[in-house]
Amino acid sequence: MVKRLLNLLHKKGDRVVRLEGERLLLRTFVESDARSLAELMRNNRIFWATHEPMHEDEFYTEEAQFKKILESMHLLRANREYSFGIYPKGSNKLIGHISLYAIKRLPYNSAFIGYSVDERYTRKGIATEAVNEVVKFGFNVVKLHRIEAYVSPKNYGSIKVLENADFVREGLLRELLYINGSWEDHFLYSLLREDCRYL
């Protein structure tokens, strides 16, 4: 079914954005990534559910991820979101994803950043490198003034990633997200273009 939809819906001229770090390649998703994205989601279903809502079984299928990719491509064309797969350089193995989303223009000129890395590749600096590359892209190419992130106070790894990337904790948002049966507080972090040391 996905292959048939791909043939029907693929549009010529769609942009693919690639960012290269020291060890990583970040590439915006295309329709043919649906299988590998669904596999990444399934493999990390329990691990990521520690700080994110658990989804229904259908969410982890290739068809559901195909639809999500189509939506992300539409948002990319409108310059409202950039959803990247994270790959080790020289490999086509998807090991995570990162997005610059909810992009707003003046008077805000801001966006949010969110990311998840395969459990087997955590604690290797991968999320930090990916965040740094997307931040540079956001400030230099998308011309943002401010990038924000929500993070659970319990998510020590993600807090470390943001602080390593010079994000500043601005405050605590009480009961921001409903996650697996309870309302969870989240910190709000931000980074301003003028404070970014690695542009």
Side-chain angles (χ1 to χ4, degrees), residues 129-141:
E129 182 176 334
V131 165
N132 288 341
E133 292 305 317
V134 171
V135 162
K136 286 189 282 189
F137 173 76
F139 288 140
N140 290 332
V141 179

Side-chain angles (χ1 to χ4, degrees), residues 68-93:
K68 280 188 52 140
I69 288 171
L70 288 181
E71 181 183 2
S72 74
M73 292 172 68
H74 171 73
L75 292 170
L76 185 151
R77 286 192 292 270
N79 290 310
R80 291 173 49 207
E81 178 177 308
Y82 294 84
S83 294
F84 298 91
I86 302 173
Y87 303 85
K89 269 190 176 176
S91 170
N92 61 358
K93 181 171 180 56

Side-chain angles (χ1 to χ4, degrees), residues 32 36 66 79 109 123 125 189 198:
S32 56
S36 58
F66 181 81
N79 290 310
N109 242 24
R123 301 184 183 192
Y189 276 79
Y198 48 88

Side-chain angles (χ1 to χ4, degrees), residues 138-156:
F139 288 140
N140 290 332
V141 179
V142 187
K143 303 298 184 185
L144 297 173
H145 171 69
R146 172 183 169 94
I147 298 176
E148 303 175 337
Y150 293 142
V151 61
S152 166
K154 304 171 189 173
N155 192 344
Y156 306 114

Side-chain angles (χ1 to χ4, degrees), residues 11-27:
K11 296 180 180 177
K12 290 184 179 177
D14 279 338
R15 275 195 302 166
V16 175
V17 179
R18 291 178 174 83
L19 308 177
E20 285 196 34
E22 187 178 324
R23 298 175 297 157
L24 302 175
L25 171 69
L26 310 182
R27 176 179 56 74

